[in-house]
């Protein structure tokens, strides 16, 4: 199985793309800034075309699909070339679909019971969402004692100010966020700004 998105960079950009034509230059800017793993959320009609384009034209990027909510979406994302799958939560059916996809996946959790249930199924890598609202670093720190085998990508309410606190935790592989792909920069196609923000984000683990 390919590398886990938790191990590719300290920050996983969470991208919402209204226009698939922006996918390739955006991905190139993020990769140039040191963030090769990119989560394209399935929240827009352009998402699958965006994943397809980045897979075909930016080989140094590892593009995944986010906001995966169904077996159909998981299959569509993999057919488009997604290298990993991310969901905000999980059900047994969705977990089966992601586990059977052949690519790494991060099912979303926000409670201890969900974490234990996934560990019971052999899943050790998860998205912690919504991170800040669900207890933030204090919650993850508390989980590390009894459940050290679980690793997380916290997402939700994370930015450059608090990301280093998350990245310092032993059970956090990377954090997810949108701050390096602000809507106004994407709309203006300001790829230089996005590359600069990505570079700052890529240095957060050492900075923290």
């Amino acid at each position: 199985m390919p590398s886990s998105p938790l191990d590719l960079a300290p920050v996983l950009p969470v991208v919402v793309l209204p226009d698939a034509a922006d996918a390739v230059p955006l991905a190139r800017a993020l990769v140039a800034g040191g963030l090769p793993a990119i989560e394209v959320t399935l929240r827009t009609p352009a998402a699958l075309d965006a994943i397809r384009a980045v897979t075909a034209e930016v080989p140094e990027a590892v593009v995944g699909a986010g906001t995966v909510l169904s077996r159909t979406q998981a299959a569509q994302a993999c057919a488009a070339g997604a290298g990993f799958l991310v969901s905000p939560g999980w059900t047994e059916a969705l977990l089966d679909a992601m586990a059977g996809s052949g690519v790494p996946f991060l099912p979303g959790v926000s409670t201890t019971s969900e974490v234990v249930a996934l560990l019971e199924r052999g899943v050790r890598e998860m998205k912690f969402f919504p991170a800040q609202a669900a207890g933030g670093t204090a919650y993850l720190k508390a989980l590390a004692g009894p459940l050290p085998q679980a690793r997380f990508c916290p997402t939700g309410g994370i930015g450059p100010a608090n990301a280093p606190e998350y990245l310092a935790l032993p059970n956090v592989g990377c954090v997810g966020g949108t701050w390096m792909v602000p809507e106004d920069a994407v709309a203006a196609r300001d790829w230089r700004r996005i590359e600069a923000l990505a570079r700052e984000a890529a240095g957060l683990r050492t900075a923290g």
Side-chain angles (χ1 to χ4, degrees):
M1 188 173 276
S3 297
S4 163
L6 268 65
D7 298 323
L8 295 173
V11 179
L12 177 63
V14 179
V15 177
V16 181
L17 274 174
D19 188 346
D22 293 331
V24 167
L26 174 63
R28 285 178 176 149
L30 290 170
V31 169
L35 300 180
I38 304 164
E39 176 188 333
V40 175
T41 69
L42 301 183
R43 299 181 205 172
T44 68
L48 291 173
D49 285 337
I51 291 169
R52 210 170 278 117
V54 174
T55 300
E57 298 185 46
V58 193
E60 58 273 41
V62 180
V63 60
T67 323
V68 176
L69 301 176
S70 67
R71 184 181 297 274
T72 298
Q73 285 186 323
Q76 290 173 333
C78 289
F84 61 92
L85 304 173
V86 184
S87 66
W90 64 277
T91 63
E92 293 291 343
L94 181 56
L95 189 66
D96 286 344
M98 292 195 294
S101 69
V103 300
F105 59 97
L106 299 173
V109 297
S110 61
T111 69
T112 308
S113 292
E114 289 173 313
V115 176
V116 171
L118 286 178
L119 290 173
E120 193 176 74
R121 290 283 301 267
V123 179
R124 297 191 173 198
E125 297 187 342
M126 311 164 197
K127 171 178 178 170
F128 180 56
F129 176 82
Q132 282 291 95
T137 54
Y139 196 98
L140 287 173
K141 198 176 294 184
L143 287 181
L147 303 170
Q149 64 271 54
R151 294 178 73 219
F152 300 95
C153 172
T155 307
I158 298 177
N162 61 357
E165 299 170 32
Y166 282 94
L167 292 168
L169 298 176
N171 55 352
V172 169
C174 68
V175 299
T178 59
W179 76 88
M180 76 300 299
V181 283
E183 284 184 27
D184 59 337
V186 175
R189 296 179 168 85
D190 190 348
W191 312 127
R192 284 190 182 182
R193 180 182 166 203
I194 288 172
E195 181 181 338
L197 289 169
R199 188 167 287 110
E200 290 173 11
L204 282 175
R205 193 187 296 279
T206 44

